[in-house]
Amino acid sequence: MSEGSGSWGSQLRKGVLELAVLGLLAGEPRYGSSLVDDLAGRPGLAITAGTVYPLLARLAKAGSVTTTWRESPVGPPRKYYALTDSGRRRLDVMSQEFDTVAAALAGILKGES
Amino acid sequence: MSEGSGSWGSQLRKGVLELAVLGLLAGEPRYGSSLVDDLAGRPGLAITAGTVYPLLARLAKAGSVTTTWRESPVGPPRKYYALTDSGRRRLDVMSQEFDTVAAALAGILKGES
DNA sequence: CCTCGGTAGCTTGTTATGCAAGCTATATGG
DNA sequence: CCATATAGCTTGCATAACAAGCTACCGAGG
């Protein structure tokens, strides 16, 4: 060990990914693979298909998103996930919480007691 | 149900707590209960004893901290955890990673594509 | 002496999450 | 008919946070 800088990424992500997905859905409805491809280009937020689908299923079950099937011009049908009002509220809450945590963390790293 | 705004805190924390603890230890060596008490006053970073001790054990096993027993003026002996050079490097790496993730997240929430 | 409350460290069992690796199904092209 | 790409999803594993409990040390009162 002594390294593990690679494993660190996967720890931090926990929970943050939900916020990232909700944030992306706030722009417009999207389908799973699109989310995976998008997040792959955002350092620290890369996600795999095996992670995003259970996450989306959880969000649907919680009523944060609704789903709609649409045809694709180039392949199998796509399942679009759209944010509900409840989902948007959740996004707001989580976003605020993240800021709180980030601020608390910044305080610690600056040596505030 | 469907809500769980309370459960959200516990998701985000995952991994971030390690960064918080390393940050606190960067100031001066501390013992477990002291960390619990300190973090209890930092919104979003509250931690329980059942979380901090396994975390400290992991850090010790990874060589990020060393431990020293010291007498207490008011109770049982205390086990002080001090950051090693390796631990400080880990702190730096994790701190940078957090900033990266925070920036990526901020980008998403601002609607950047 | 002996119990009680407070301090401190740690363990156990549960739950949840992220991930790799698969599996299924649809469309297109050879 | 089969290969490839796209898209959705499931399974099994590892890890982490937490609640609840356990042990042990100390000082004060009974």
Side-chain angles (χ1 to χ4, degrees), chain B residues 58-93:
Chain B
R58 261 177 275 142
L59 291 175
K61 194 176 176 185
S64 297
V65 298
T66 52
T67 61
T68 316
W69 285 98
R70 290 192 217 165
E71 298 299 320
S72 161
V74 297
R78 295 166 173 169
K79 197 174 183 177
Y80 280 80
Y81 294 82
L83 217 58
T84 62
D85 287 343
S86 164
R88 187 167 292 270
R89 280 193 298 273
R90 184 170 176 79
L91 168 58
D92 291 340
V93 170

mmCIF file of all heavy atoms in Angstrom, chain B residues 58-93:
data_model
loop_
_atom_site.group_PDB
_atom_site.id
_atom_site.type_symbol
_atom_site.label_atom_id
_atom_site.label_comp_id
_atom_site.label_asym_id
_atom_site.label_seq_id
_atom_site.Cartn_x
_atom_site.Cartn_y
_atom_site.Cartn_z
ATOM 1 N N ARG B 58 -7.433 1.713 10.167
ATOM 2 C CA ARG B 58 -7.070 1.608 8.755
ATOM 3 C C ARG B 58 -5.898 2.525 8.424
ATOM 4 O O ARG B 58 -4.969 2.134 7.716
ATOM 5 C CB ARG B 58 -8.275 1.995 7.886
ATOM 6 C CG ARG B 58 -9.067 0.838 7.343
ATOM 7 C CD ARG B 58 -10.263 1.323 6.555
ATOM 8 N NE ARG B 58 -11.410 1.597 7.415
ATOM 9 C CZ ARG B 58 -12.262 2.600 7.266
ATOM 10 N NH1 ARG B 58 -12.098 3.466 6.291
ATOM 11 N NH2 ARG B 58 -13.264 2.757 8.082
ATOM 12 N N LEU B 59 -5.950 3.727 8.952
ATOM 13 C CA LEU B 59 -4.875 4.685 8.705
ATOM 14 C C LEU B 59 -3.555 4.178 9.288
ATOM 15 O O LEU B 59 -2.497 4.340 8.679
ATOM 16 C CB LEU B 59 -5.233 6.049 9.309
ATOM 17 C CG LEU B 59 -6.382 6.796 8.620
ATOM 18 C CD1 LEU B 59 -6.726 8.072 9.384
ATOM 19 C CD2 LEU B 59 -6.023 7.118 7.182
ATOM 20 N N ALA B 60 -3.631 3.575 10.456
ATOM 21 C CA ALA B 60 -2.426 3.043 11.092
ATOM 22 C C ALA B 60 -1.862 1.889 10.265
ATOM 23 O O ALA B 60 -0.652 1.811 10.014
ATOM 24 C CB ALA B 60 -2.738 2.582 12.518
ATOM 25 N N LYS B 61 -2.745 1.036 9.812
ATOM 26 C CA LYS B 61 -2.330 -0.122 9.017
ATOM 27 C C LYS B 61 -1.685 0.328 7.710
ATOM 28 O O LYS B 61 -0.769 -0.314 7.198
ATOM 29 C CB LYS B 61 -3.548 -1.005 8.745
ATOM 30 C CG LYS B 61 -3.190 -2.385 8.217
ATOM 31 C CD LYS B 61 -4.455 -3.231 8.070
ATOM 32 C CE LYS B 61 -4.135 -4.585 7.437
ATOM 33 N NZ LYS B 61 -5.360 -5.374 7.179
ATOM 34 N N ALA B 62 -2.180 1.426 7.176
ATOM 35 C CA ALA B 62 -1.664 1.946 5.906
ATOM 36 C C ALA B 62 -0.401 2.777 6.110
ATOM 37 O O ALA B 62 0.218 3.224 5.144
ATOM 38 C CB ALA B 62 -2.732 2.775 5.205
ATOM 39 N N GLY B 63 -0.020 2.989 7.370
ATOM 40 C CA GLY B 63 1.195 3.756 7.639
ATOM 41 C C GLY B 63 0.992 5.263 7.566
ATOM 42 O O GLY B 63 1.952 6.022 7.505
ATOM 43 N N SER B 64 -0.235 5.711 7.611
ATOM 44 C CA SER B 64 -0.504 7.150 7.549
ATOM 45 C C SER B 64 -0.387 7.815 8.914
ATOM 46 O O SER B 64 -0.221 9.030 9.004
ATOM 47 C CB SER B 64 -1.904 7.408 6.980
ATOM 48 O OG SER B 64 -2.000 6.939 5.645
ATOM 49 N N VAL B 65 -0.529 7.026 9.962
ATOM 50 C CA VAL B 65 -0.422 7.558 11.317
ATOM 51 C C VAL B 65 0.370 6.598 12.207
ATOM 52 O O VAL B 65 0.456 5.406 11.923
ATOM 53 C CB VAL B 65 -1.818 7.777 11.961
ATOM 54 C CG1 VAL B 65 -2.630 8.798 11.175
ATOM 55 C CG2 VAL B 65 -2.562 6.470 12.068
ATOM 56 N N THR B 66 0.958 7.162 13.252
ATOM 57 C CA THR B 66 1.584 6.343 14.284
ATOM 58 C C THR B 66 0.836 6.606 15.589
ATOM 59 O O THR B 66 0.169 7.633 15.732
ATOM 60 C CB THR B 66 3.063 6.698 14.469
ATOM 61 O OG1 THR B 66 3.183 8.106 14.657
ATOM 62 C CG2 THR B 66 3.870 6.279 13.267
ATOM 63 N N THR B 67 0.964 5.687 16.546
ATOM 64 C CA THR B 67 0.194 5.815 17.777
ATOM 65 C C THR B 67 1.108 5.851 19.001
ATOM 66 O O THR B 67 2.158 5.205 19.015
ATOM 67 C CB THR B 67 -0.780 4.633 17.925
ATOM 68 O OG1 THR B 67 -0.035 3.423 17.997
ATOM 69 C CG2 THR B 67 -1.714 4.560 16.736
ATOM 70 N N THR B 68 0.682 6.616 19.975
ATOM 71 C CA THR B 68 1.419 6.741 21.231
ATOM 72 C C THR B 68 0.449 6.813 22.395
ATOM 73 O O THR B 68 -0.499 7.601 22.352
ATOM 74 C CB THR B 68 2.259 8.038 21.243
ATOM 75 O OG1 THR B 68 2.908 8.197 19.988
ATOM 76 C CG2 THR B 68 3.289 7.994 22.361
ATOM 77 N N TRP B 69 0.696 6.003 23.412
ATOM 78 C CA TRP B 69 -0.145 6.066 24.613
ATOM 79 C C TRP B 69 0.367 7.183 25.520
ATOM 80 O O TRP B 69 1.577 7.316 25.725
ATOM 81 C CB TRP B 69 -0.115 4.743 25.360
ATOM 82 C CG TRP B 69 -0.927 3.669 24.685
ATOM 83 C CD1 TRP B 69 -0.462 2.686 23.863
ATOM 84 C CD2 TRP B 69 -2.335 3.490 24.774
ATOM 85 N NE1 TRP B 69 -1.508 1.903 23.433
ATOM 86 C CE2 TRP B 69 -2.674 2.372 23.981
ATOM 87 C CE3 TRP B 69 -3.364 4.161 25.451
ATOM 88 C CZ2 TRP B 69 -3.971 1.909 23.846
ATOM 89 C CZ3 TRP B 69 -4.661 3.695 25.321
ATOM 90 C CH2 TRP B 69 -4.965 2.576 24.518
ATOM 91 N N ARG B 70 -0.559 7.952 26.054
ATOM 92 C CA ARG B 70 -0.199 8.981 27.033
ATOM 93 C C ARG B 70 -1.192 8.945 28.180
ATOM 94 O O ARG B 70 -2.358 8.642 27.993
ATOM 95 C CB ARG B 70 -0.237 10.381 26.402
ATOM 96 C CG ARG B 70 0.860 10.625 25.396
ATOM 97 C CD ARG B 70 0.925 12.114 25.037
ATOM 98 N NE ARG B 70 1.238 12.316 23.631
ATOM 99 C CZ ARG B 70 1.085 13.473 22.986
ATOM 100 N NH1 ARG B 70 0.605 14.518 23.632
ATOM 101 N NH2 ARG B 70 1.392 13.592 21.713
ATOM 102 N N GLU B 71 -0.706 9.303 29.353
ATOM 103 C CA GLU B 71 -1.602 9.361 30.503
ATOM 104 C C GLU B 71 -2.576 10.517 30.342
ATOM 105 O O GLU B 71 -2.275 11.521 29.695
ATOM 106 C CB GLU B 71 -0.789 9.561 31.787
ATOM 107 C CG GLU B 71 0.165 8.422 32.081
ATOM 108 C CD GLU B 71 -0.561 7.101 32.276
ATOM 109 O OE1 GLU B 71 -1.633 7.120 32.912
ATOM 110 O OE2 GLU B 71 -0.077 6.070 31.777
ATOM 111 N N SER B 72 -3.742 10.350 30.935
ATOM 112 C CA SER B 72 -4.723 11.430 30.977
ATOM 113 C C SER B 72 -4.819 11.939 32.407
ATOM 114 O O SER B 72 -4.689 11.169 33.354
ATOM 115 C CB SER B 72 -6.078 10.912 30.519
ATOM 116 O OG SER B 72 -7.118 11.766 30.955
ATOM 117 N N PRO B 73 -5.025 13.240 32.581
ATOM 118 C CA PRO B 73 -5.167 13.780 33.938
ATOM 119 C C PRO B 73 -6.524 13.437 34.562
ATOM 120 O O PRO B 73 -6.696 13.590 35.766
ATOM 121 C CB PRO B 73 -5.027 15.292 33.739
ATOM 122 C CG PRO B 73 -5.410 15.534 32.314
ATOM 123 C CD PRO B 73 -5.060 14.294 31.547
ATOM 124 N N VAL B 74 -7.439 12.979 33.766
ATOM 125 C CA VAL B 74 -8.797 12.793 34.293
ATOM 126 C C VAL B 74 -9.438 11.443 34.017
ATOM 127 O O VAL B 74 -10.594 11.238 34.364
ATOM 128 C CB VAL B 74 -9.742 13.873 33.719
ATOM 129 C CG1 VAL B 74 -9.311 15.259 34.143
ATOM 130 C CG2 VAL B 74 -9.780 13.761 32.198
ATOM 131 N N GLY B 75 -8.757 10.519 33.372
ATOM 132 C CA GLY B 75 -9.403 9.251 33.066
ATOM 133 C C GLY B 75 -8.404 8.222 32.591
ATOM 134 O O GLY B 75 -7.216 8.315 32.902
ATOM 135 N N PRO B 76 -8.873 7.281 31.836
ATOM 136 C CA PRO B 76 -7.985 6.224 31.338
ATOM 137 C C PRO B 76 -6.987 6.792 30.335
ATOM 138 O O PRO B 76 -7.179 7.889 29.808
ATOM 139 C CB PRO B 76 -8.950 5.257 30.668
ATOM 140 C CG PRO B 76 -10.163 6.042 30.365
ATOM 141 C CD PRO B 76 -10.254 7.094 31.389
ATOM 142 N N PRO B 77 -5.913 6.064 30.069
ATOM 143 C CA PRO B 77 -4.888 6.500 29.116
ATOM 144 C C PRO B 77 -5.499 6.789 27.757
ATOM 145 O O PRO B 77 -6.521 6.209 27.389
ATOM 146 C CB PRO B 77 -3.928 5.315 29.038
ATOM 147 C CG PRO B 77 -4.197 4.485 30.211
ATOM 148 C CD PRO B 77 -5.581 4.759 30.654
ATOM 149 N N ARG B 78 -4.837 7.687 27.023
ATOM 150 C CA ARG B 78 -5.330 8.050 25.697
ATOM 151 C C ARG B 78 -4.334 7.604 24.641
ATOM 152 O O ARG B 78 -3.124 7.631 24.843
ATOM 153 C CB ARG B 78 -5.497 9.564 25.598
ATOM 154 C CG ARG B 78 -6.558 10.109 26.519
ATOM 155 C CD ARG B 78 -6.433 11.616 26.633
ATOM 156 N NE ARG B 78 -7.545 12.194 27.397
ATOM 157 C CZ ARG B 78 -7.564 13.454 27.814
ATOM 158 N NH1 ARG B 78 -6.534 14.264 27.565
ATOM 159 N NH2 ARG B 78 -8.587 13.910 28.496
ATOM 160 N N LYS B 79 -4.871 7.192 23.514
ATOM 161 C CA LYS B 79 -4.023 6.743 22.409
ATOM 162 C C LYS B 79 -3.950 7.870 21.390
ATOM 163 O O LYS B 79 -4.929 8.133 20.684
ATOM 164 C CB LYS B 79 -4.626 5.493 21.777
ATOM 165 C CG LYS B 79 -3.682 4.707 20.907
ATOM 166 C CD LYS B 79 -4.368 3.417 20.474
ATOM 167 C CE LYS B 79 -3.475 2.512 19.644
ATOM 168 N NZ LYS B 79 -4.183 1.250 19.318
ATOM 169 N N TYR B 80 -2.816 8.512 21.312
ATOM 170 C CA TYR B 80 -2.666 9.643 20.401
ATOM 171 C C TYR B 80 -2.234 9.174 19.020
ATOM 172 O O TYR B 80 -1.333 8.349 18.882
ATOM 173 C CB TYR B 80 -1.662 10.646 20.970
ATOM 174 C CG TYR B 80 -2.261 11.552 22.021
ATOM 175 C CD1 TYR B 80 -2.436 11.101 23.333
ATOM 176 C CD2 TYR B 80 -2.676 12.839 21.708
ATOM 177 C CE1 TYR B 80 -2.999 11.918 24.298
ATOM 178 C CE2 TYR B 80 -3.243 13.672 22.673
ATOM 179 C CZ TYR B 80 -3.404 13.200 23.959
ATOM 180 O OH TYR B 80 -3.977 14.011 24.914
ATOM 181 N N TYR B 81 -2.884 9.748 18.015
ATOM 182 C CA TYR B 81 -2.557 9.423 16.632
ATOM 183 C C TYR B 81 -1.856 10.616 16.000
ATOM 184 O O TYR B 81 -2.359 11.733 16.041
ATOM 185 C CB TYR B 81 -3.834 9.104 15.847
ATOM 186 C CG TYR B 81 -4.525 7.845 16.329
ATOM 187 C CD1 TYR B 81 -5.356 7.869 17.440
ATOM 188 C CD2 TYR B 81 -4.346 6.636 15.677
ATOM 189 C CE1 TYR B 81 -5.990 6.719 17.887
ATOM 190 C CE2 TYR B 81 -4.984 5.474 16.115
ATOM 191 C CZ TYR B 81 -5.797 5.526 17.217
ATOM 192 O OH TYR B 81 -6.425 4.387 17.663
ATOM 193 N N ALA B 82 -0.677 10.353 15.439
ATOM 194 C CA ALA B 82 0.102 11.421 14.802
ATOM 195 C C ALA B 82 0.327 11.097 13.331
ATOM 196 O O ALA B 82 0.541 9.939 12.955
ATOM 197 C CB ALA B 82 1.439 11.588 15.516
ATOM 198 N N LEU B 83 0.280 12.132 12.514
ATOM 199 C CA LEU B 83 0.456 11.966 11.072
ATOM 200 C C LEU B 83 1.914 11.635 10.737
ATOM 201 O O LEU B 83 2.838 12.255 11.249
ATOM 202 C CB LEU B 83 0.053 13.272 10.370
ATOM 203 C CG LEU B 83 -0.653 13.173 9.024
ATOM 204 C CD1 LEU B 83 -1.917 12.359 9.126
ATOM 205 C CD2 LEU B 83 -0.963 14.567 8.507
ATOM 206 N N THR B 84 2.116 10.678 9.841
ATOM 207 C CA THR B 84 3.462 10.383 9.336
ATOM 208 C C THR B 84 3.685 11.187 8.049
ATOM 209 O O THR B 84 2.775 11.843 7.555
ATOM 210 C CB THR B 84 3.595 8.891 9.005
ATOM 211 O OG1 THR B 84 2.658 8.567 7.986
ATOM 212 C CG2 THR B 84 3.332 8.041 10.238
ATOM 213 N N ASP B 85 4.894 11.108 7.529
ATOM 214 C CA ASP B 85 5.168 11.773 6.256
ATOM 215 C C ASP B 85 4.261 11.217 5.167
ATOM 216 O O ASP B 85 3.696 11.950 4.358
ATOM 217 C CB ASP B 85 6.638 11.581 5.854
ATOM 218 C CG ASP B 85 7.566 12.422 6.725
ATOM 219 O OD1 ASP B 85 7.053 13.364 7.380
ATOM 220 O OD2 ASP B 85 8.775 12.155 6.761
ATOM 221 N N SER B 86 4.148 9.899 5.174
ATOM 222 C CA SER B 86 3.271 9.249 4.208
ATOM 223 C C SER B 86 1.832 9.727 4.365
ATOM 224 O O SER B 86 1.119 9.946 3.388
ATOM 225 C CB SER B 86 3.345 7.726 4.402
ATOM 226 O OG SER B 86 2.272 7.089 3.764
ATOM 227 N N GLY B 87 1.418 9.886 5.612
ATOM 228 C CA GLY B 87 0.066 10.357 5.879
ATOM 229 C C GLY B 87 -0.148 11.771 5.370
ATOM 230 O O GLY B 87 -1.220 12.107 4.858
ATOM 231 N N ARG B 88 0.875 12.592 5.501
ATOM 232 C CA ARG B 88 0.750 13.961 5.032
ATOM 233 C C ARG B 88 0.652 14.004 3.509
ATOM 234 O O ARG B 88 -0.094 14.799 2.946
ATOM 235 C CB ARG B 88 1.950 14.802 5.500
ATOM 236 C CG ARG B 88 1.804 16.279 5.184
ATOM 237 C CD ARG B 88 2.836 17.106 5.926
ATOM 238 N NE ARG B 88 2.600 17.106 7.356
ATOM 239 C CZ ARG B 88 1.834 18.011 7.986
ATOM 240 N NH1 ARG B 88 1.231 18.953 7.285
ATOM 241 N NH2 ARG B 88 1.686 17.961 9.280
ATOM 242 N N ARG B 89 1.407 13.133 2.868
ATOM 243 C CA ARG B 89 1.301 13.069 1.411
ATOM 244 C C ARG B 89 -0.089 12.632 1.002
ATOM 245 O O ARG B 89 -0.690 13.155 0.067
ATOM 246 C CB ARG B 89 2.342 12.098 0.848
ATOM 247 C CG ARG B 89 3.746 12.680 0.741
ATOM 248 C CD ARG B 89 4.659 11.796 -0.106
ATOM 249 N NE ARG B 89 4.840 10.460 0.467
ATOM 250 C CZ ARG B 89 5.765 10.150 1.374
ATOM 251 N NH1 ARG B 89 6.593 11.077 1.813
ATOM 252 N NH2 ARG B 89 5.873 8.923 1.824
ATOM 253 N N ARG B 90 -0.589 11.662 1.731
ATOM 254 C CA ARG B 90 -1.939 11.180 1.440
ATOM 255 C C ARG B 90 -2.954 12.306 1.629
ATOM 256 O O ARG B 90 -3.888 12.449 0.844
ATOM 257 C CB ARG B 90 -2.267 10.015 2.375
ATOM 258 C CG ARG B 90 -3.602 9.367 2.102
ATOM 259 C CD ARG B 90 -3.730 8.065 2.905
ATOM 260 N NE ARG B 90 -5.034 7.458 2.756
ATOM 261 C CZ ARG B 90 -5.414 6.747 1.707
ATOM 262 N NH1 ARG B 90 -4.565 6.553 0.727
ATOM 263 N NH2 ARG B 90 -6.618 6.224 1.641
ATOM 264 N N LEU B 91 -2.769 13.060 2.655
ATOM 265 C CA LEU B 91 -3.651 14.207 2.901
ATOM 266 C C LEU B 91 -3.622 15.175 1.723
ATOM 267 O O LEU B 91 -4.675 15.653 1.264
ATOM 268 C CB LEU B 91 -3.218 14.914 4.190
ATOM 269 C CG LEU B 91 -3.830 16.290 4.488
ATOM 270 C CD1 LEU B 91 -5.348 16.207 4.556
ATOM 271 C CD2 LEU B 91 -3.265 16.862 5.775
ATOM 272 N N ASP B 92 -2.425 15.448 1.239
ATOM 273 C CA ASP B 92 -2.294 16.372 0.114
ATOM 274 C C ASP B 92 -3.022 15.843 -1.126
ATOM 275 O O ASP B 92 -3.754 16.570 -1.793
ATOM 276 C CB ASP B 92 -0.816 16.606 -0.208
ATOM 277 C CG ASP B 92 -0.123 17.405 0.890
ATOM 278 O OD1 ASP B 92 -0.841 18.078 1.662
ATOM 279 O OD2 ASP B 92 1.114 17.349 0.986
ATOM 280 N N VAL B 93 -2.790 14.566 -1.409
ATOM 281 C CA VAL B 93 -3.426 13.959 -2.586
ATOM 282 C C VAL B 93 -4.941 14.006 -2.462
ATOM 283 O O VAL B 93 -5.656 14.406 -3.398
ATOM 284 C CB VAL B 93 -2.955 12.498 -2.759
ATOM 285 C CG1 VAL B 93 -3.792 11.795 -3.813
ATOM 286 C CG2 VAL B 93 -1.483 12.456 -3.129
#
